């Protein structure tokens, strides 16, 4: 059987608006009465802070965190108090000072005088490992003042569905699914952007390949045109134009040599003829003159022909020089065209390789697609868990919630149900009623039953005190009386904070003993 934790008394030295306030608590029902803004929530926060400390936030969040909200205006170096409580059959005294410049604590077991160490987890061990999250989601209950009816339906469904046996009912399946969907959407956008960039890159590569192919075709046409010009000038390997020109020059030189010999022969013949005629006709001058004239005419014609041959030879030499220059220029052009064509072929090969690699990568999953696949798997897993959660999760919680709900509603609602779609309903003797069709007061009763059941299931060996901070604002007198009777029957310590006197009036009417505390 579980043992109850009992808060015996506490002294608020300096916390928020409360200073030097000591309160003695009884093991049963305690009613903390005070007007609005009198400090009831401050007491609520003080008790939680004594058990779990105050975690300071960073940045802008620090302006409204618990520390800043409850830091005293006067004498802030004294910020805390002392708590006396019994747990596991032993009595403890816990003192804390939360001031940031002088944080200190003392945890004493009064039965044997042993000083325990908070930093080593001694308080956590005494509390049975009950985390702050469990505490806030079970035995420490505040009024749902700002929660609408539809929000409360969602809160109840999530509270039941997210219970995993660890007590951290922070898991909101709907919110988790929404966050996963948002993450998936982000990766989908990235994947689409990556795919568009890939398509643009492929289009760019394709355009570059087309451009280079056109340039290569132009270079090939230039080579064909150059080859045609080389053939017309006999500059190809098949037709050696230089040999043709050399042959023509050799022929002219041979003609020159022949004509030089002819001129020599003409001179010899003319001189010989003149000499012979002088011997044959000593007194005759005319024949010799005629022979001389004929010889001179022959020499003149031969001289003219030789001069023409010399001019033709020089023209042929100049033609060869120009031919050789054109040949060198065409060979340089051909080499440049060949080199440019090789460069284009290499560039085209590289582009085709890049395009092929990109085309092959299309069939490989992107990093974003792998993330999307992982998110889809997570969402599928959560969906499966959600659809089957009622079969294996929280059955003990559901049964205990149903039992408490039946007791505080006088048997009107006997069972809490939840289908595979996580839609909660309550069972009456005649029919099942969807949560959304219930009154706000009934939904708050279900919420209360859930919290009490979760507290019993999750709070370890000892039952923690139930702290109810203005919880019953939406309860009518009948519902409130039923809850108070149930709390009294459970024989556990309860601290009810209220700004109304009707709780005390109903307790008196029901003859339920209670301890009144006044702020």
């Amino acid at each position: 059987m579980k043992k109850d934790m009992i808060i015996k008394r506490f002294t608020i030295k300096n916390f928020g608006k409360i200073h030097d306030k000591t309160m003695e608590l009884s093991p049963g029902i305690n009613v903390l009465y005070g007007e609005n803004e009198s400090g009831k929530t401050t007491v609520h926060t003080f008790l939680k802070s004594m058990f779990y400390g105050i975690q300071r936030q960073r940045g802008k969040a620090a302006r409204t965190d618990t520390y800043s909200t409850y830091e005293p205006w006067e004498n802030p170096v004294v910020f805390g108090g002392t708590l006396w409580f019994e747990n596991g059959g032993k009595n403890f005294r816990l003192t804390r000072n939360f001031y940031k410049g002088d944080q200190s604590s003392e945890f004493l077991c009064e039965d044997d005088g042993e000083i325990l160490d908070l930093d080593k987890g001694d308080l956590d061990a005494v509390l049975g490992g009950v985390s702050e999250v469990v505490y806030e989601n079970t035995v420490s209950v505040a009024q749902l003042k700002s929660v609408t009816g539809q929000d409360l339906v969602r809160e109840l469904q999530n509270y039941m569905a997210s219970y995993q046996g660890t007590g951290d009912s922070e898991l909101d399946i709907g919110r988790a699914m929404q966050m996963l969907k948002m993450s998936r959407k982000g990766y989908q956008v990235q994947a689409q952007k990556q795919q568009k960039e890939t398509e643009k890159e492929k289009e760019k590569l394709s355009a570059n390949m087309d451009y280079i192919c056109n340039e290569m075709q132009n270079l090939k046409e230039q080579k064909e045109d150059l080859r045609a010009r080389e053939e017309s000038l006999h500059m190809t390997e098949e037709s050696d134009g230089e040999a043709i020109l050399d042959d023509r020059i050799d022929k002219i030189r041979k003609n020159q040599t022949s004509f030089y010999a002819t001129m020599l022969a003409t001179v010899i013949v003319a001189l010989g003829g003149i000499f012979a005629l002088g011997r044959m006709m000593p007194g005759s001058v005319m024949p010799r003159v005629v022979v001389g004239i004929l010889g001179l005419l022959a020499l003149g014609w031969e001289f003219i022909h030789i001069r023409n041959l010399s001019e033709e030879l020089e023209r042929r030499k100049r033609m060869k020089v120009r031919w050789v220059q054109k040949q060198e220029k065409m060979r340089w052009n051909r080499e440049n065209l060949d080199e440019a064509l090789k460069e284009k072929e290499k560039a085209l090969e590289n582009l085709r390789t890049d395009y092929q690699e990109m085309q092959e990568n299309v069939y490989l999953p992107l990093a974003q697609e792998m993330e999307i696949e992982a998110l889809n798997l997570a969402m599928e897993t959560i969906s499966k868990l959600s659809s089957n959660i009622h079969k294996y999760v929280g059955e003990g919680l559901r049964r205990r919630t149903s039992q408490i709900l039946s007791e505080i509603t006088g048997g009107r609602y006997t069972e809490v149900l939840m289908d595979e779609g996580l839609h909660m309903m309550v069972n009456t003797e005649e029919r099942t009623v969807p949560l959304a069709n219930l009154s706000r007061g009934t939904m708050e009763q279900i919420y209360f039953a859930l919290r009490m059941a979760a507290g019993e299931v999750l709070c370890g060996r000892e039952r923690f005190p139930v702290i109810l901070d203005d919880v019953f604002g939406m309860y009518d007198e009948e519902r409130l009386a039923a809850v108070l009777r149930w709390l009294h029957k459970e024989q556990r310590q309860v601290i009810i904070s209220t700004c109304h006197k009707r709780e005390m009036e109903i307790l008196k009417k029901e003859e339920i003993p209670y301890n009144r505390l006044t702020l």
Side-chain angles (χ1 to χ4, degrees), residues 251-423:
K251 287 181 179 180
I252 293 172
R253 283 175 175 168
K254 288 179 180 179
N255 287 336
Q256 278 185 323
T257 302
S258 298
F259 271 96
Y260 280 128
T262 301
M263 286 182 67
L264 181 62
T266 299
V267 170
I268 293 172
V269 169
L271 291 175
I274 291 172
F275 180 77
L277 288 173
R279 295 283 302 267
M280 293 175 62
M281 303 176 181
S284 177
V285 177
M286 185 60 66
R288 286 181 290 180
V289 170
V290 171
V291 171
I293 292 172
L294 290 174
L296 288 173
L297 290 174
L299 285 173
W301 178 83
E302 290 173 350
F303 179 78
I304 291 172
H305 193 69
I306 288 174
R307 188 184 66 183
N308 289 338
L309 286 175
S310 297
E311 290 177 354
E312 176 68 13
L313 179 63
E314 293 300 320
R315 189 174 68 82
R316 292 289 181 179
K317 288 181 178 179
R318 291 194 299 272
M319 184 181 296
K320 180 181 178 181
V321 169
R322 288 196 300 272
W323 186 93
V324 170
Q325 290 175 344
K326 286 183 179 180
Q327 186 185 43
E328 290 295 327
K329 184 177 180 180
M330 288 185 179
R331 182 169 63 248
W332 181 81
N333 287 338
R334 184 173 64 252
E335 290 175 353
N336 285 342
L337 288 173
D338 288 339
E339 184 177 354
L341 193 58
K342 288 180 180 179
E343 290 178 357
K344 298 298 180 183
E345 288 174 348
K346 185 63 176 178
L348 182 61
E349 181 182 355
N350 292 336
L351 288 173
R352 283 174 174 169
T353 301
D354 293 342
Y355 188 88
Q356 183 65 28
E357 290 178 355
M358 192 168 291
Q359 191 69 20
E360 292 173 354
N361 289 337
V362 169
Y363 301 100
L364 297 176
L366 299 174
Q368 294 88 347
E369 291 175 337
M370 295 177 69
E371 293 290 347
I372 291 171
E373 185 177 351
L375 289 169
N376 285 335
L377 179 60
M379 292 170 66
E380 181 182 353
T381 301
I382 288 178
S383 179
K384 289 179 179 179
L385 286 173
S386 300
S387 64
N388 296 301
I389 197 169
H390 72 288
K391 295 180 181 179
Y392 56 91
V393 176
E395 183 60 27
L397 177 66
R398 189 193 66 80
R399 285 197 303 268
R400 182 55 178 152
T401 301
S402 299
Q403 182 182 357
I404 296 172
L405 182 63
S406 178
E407 292 183 27
I408 64 177
T409 61
R412 183 178 180 185
Y413 301 106
T414 59
E415 189 177 19
V416 176
L417 304 173
M418 186 170 66
D419 63 16
E420 293 184 359
L422 304 182
H423 301 108

Side-chain angles (χ1 to χ4, degrees), residues 141-175:
V141 187
Q143 184 179 355
L144 300 169
K145 295 178 181 179
S146 61
V147 180
T148 65
Q150 288 300 319
D151 289 336
L152 183 53
V153 171
R154 182 175 179 273
E155 178 73 15
L156 287 167
Q157 289 175 337
N158 178 66
Y159 196 99
M160 176 69 83
S162 64
Y163 169 67
Q164 298 282 345
T166 64
D168 289 347
S169 60
E170 289 182 321
L171 174 61
D172 184 332
I173 289 178
R175 188 179 295 115

Side-chain angles (χ1 to χ4, degrees), residues 104-149:
S104 61
S105 61
E106 181 185 85
F107 188 28
L108 174 68
C109 177
E110 294 184 314
D111 294 333
D112 54 23
E114 180 183 4
I115 296 178
L116 305 174
D117 193 338
L118 270 65
D119 294 333
K120 292 183 178 179
D122 288 344
L123 178 57
D124 181 65
V126 170
L127 297 180
V130 176
S131 67
E132 183 177 357
V133 170
V134 172
Y135 177 87
E136 289 188 325
N137 283 278
T138 56
V139 295
S140 178
V141 187
Q143 184 179 355
L144 300 169
K145 295 178 181 179
S146 61
V147 180
T148 65

Side-chain angles (χ1 to χ4, degrees), residues 381-501:
T381 301
I382 288 178
S383 179
K384 289 179 179 179
L385 286 173
S386 300
S387 64
N388 296 301
I389 197 169
H390 72 288
K391 295 180 181 179
Y392 56 91
V393 176
E395 183 60 27
L397 177 66
R398 189 193 66 80
R399 285 197 303 268
R400 182 55 178 152
T401 301
S402 299
Q403 182 182 357
I404 296 172
L405 182 63
S406 178
E407 292 183 27
I408 64 177
T409 61
R412 183 178 180 185
Y413 301 106
T414 59
E415 189 177 19
V416 176
L417 304 173
M418 186 170 66
D419 63 16
E420 293 184 359
L422 304 182
H423 301 108
M424 285 184 66
M425 297 170 287
V426 291
N427 189 23
T428 68
E429 294 180 354
E430 299 176 352
R431 63 191 179 93
T432 58
V433 181
L435 205 62
N437 293 348
L438 298 172
S439 67
R440 173 61 183 261
T442 302
M443 283 195 288
E444 292 218 16
Q445 285 179 306
I446 297 172
Y447 186 75
F448 175 82
L450 271 171
R451 302 276 296 225
M452 295 302 100
E456 292 181 11
V457 172
L458 302 175
C459 288
R461 299 181 301 274
E462 292 80 19
R463 297 195 303 177
F464 270 53
V466 176
I467 303 174
L468 307 173
D469 186 13
D470 273 337
V471 171
F472 303 121
M474 299 297 295
Y475 283 51
D476 56 28
E477 290 189 5
E478 182 181 350
R479 288 190 175 97
L480 180 54
V483 168
L484 293 175
R485 286 194 297 268
W486 182 83
L487 289 170
H488 175 60
K489 177 185 73 70
E490 290 297 305
Q491 296 183 351
R492 58 190 304 179
Q493 187 178 43
V494 180
I495 303 173
I496 301 173
S497 299
T498 180
C499 60
H500 304 288
K501 295 182 179 180

